[in-house]
Amino acid sequence: MLTLVNDTSDQQFLSPPKRRSDSQPRRSDYNRRRFLAWLRDEITILRALGMDHRRIAAQLDIEEHDVRVFSPKPKEKILCRNLPRRAIDALLHGRHASLGGRTVAKRSRHLVKIASAYTWEELMAEPGVGTVTASEIRLWLEERGAALRPSPDGAANWYRSTPTPDIS
């Protein structure tokens, strides 16, 4: 004799899929625009540190052509470099600030004189100055026909062995 048996499929035991709220964006999504902005920033920093296209391409594992495309153009900020605020503060209040005068206004007019009184080691010892800021100060001085004072011990600085950035 046949008896009626209820069909118990697997769908009864599974809960319905939860909908993700639209207010919470997915953090793992690939964002091409954000990645390209990051790549442009990295290349700009490495160029400011004096690296050439080939070395940057090797370090970032990209094509040399891509480095050229994302490098700052001569019409951009690289030729008319302004010092960032942290570099200006370090120079205006650092150990050689008194060479520019007693007031901040006088010191700001003599920033080249103040900055060229530093050695690389002294500049790196200033609070708030790291490798990138020190390199920006060095490049800023070179654009104005000045340079950092050589070290008294005659040791070759690491930046002297790296070529000056080619703007072409």
Side-chain angles (χ1 to χ4, degrees):
M1 168 168 194
L2 295 173
T3 58
L4 183 61
V5 177
N6 291 336
D7 184 22
T8 57
S9 65
D10 291 338
Q11 291 180 350
Q12 290 178 352
F13 297 111
L14 294 176
S15 61
K18 293 182 180 177
R19 296 194 76 207
R20 195 172 59 98
S21 70
D22 293 334
S23 64
Q24 225 177 14
R26 219 181 259 187
R27 299 211 188 278
S28 63
D29 283 348
Y30 173 76
N31 188 335
R32 182 172 183 240
R33 182 175 292 151
R34 192 177 313 144
F35 172 73
L36 293 176
W38 170 83
L39 187 62
R40 179 180 290 276
D41 291 345
E42 287 293 312
I43 291 172
T44 303
I45 290 171
L46 294 174
R47 291 290 293 158
L49 291 174
M51 294 178 72
D52 62 346
H53 293 141
R54 183 171 290 135
R55 286 176 56 193
I56 294 172
Q59 183 166 348
L60 296 178
D61 195 28
I62 59 176
E63 295 292 325
E64 196 171 337
H65 171 75
D66 294 332
V67 175
R68 282 191 192 93
V69 169
F70 284 109
S71 289
K73 308 298 181 267
K75 64 182 177 191
E76 290 179 11
K77 194 176 171 182
I78 194 83
L79 281 180
C80 182
R81 180 181 310 277
N82 293 321
L83 282 176
R85 188 75 212 166
R86 64 185 177 279
I88 293 171
D89 287 341
L91 293 175
L92 290 178
H93 305 293
R95 70 177 75 182
H96 296 298
S98 61
L99 294 174
R102 296 178 91 177
T103 64
V104 174
K106 284 184 181 178
R107 290 176 184 178
S108 64
R109 288 190 296 258
H110 298 98
L111 275 179
V112 174
K113 181 179 179 181
I114 295 169
S116 59
Y118 280 94
T119 64
W120 180 261
E121 291 80 18
E122 289 173 340
L123 198 55
M124 291 294 292
E126 286 293 329
V129 175
T131 307
V132 173
T133 305
S135 296
E136 288 174 335
I137 292 171
R138 179 182 59 88
L139 291 171
W140 180 79
L141 279 172
E142 286 176 2
E143 288 176 355
R144 282 144 185 84
L148 293 173
R149 189 169 46 97
S151 296
D153 58 3
N157 293 324
W158 72 269
Y159 66 84
R160 294 196 188 276
S161 62
T162 59
T164 309
D166 183 297
I167 300 175
S168 59

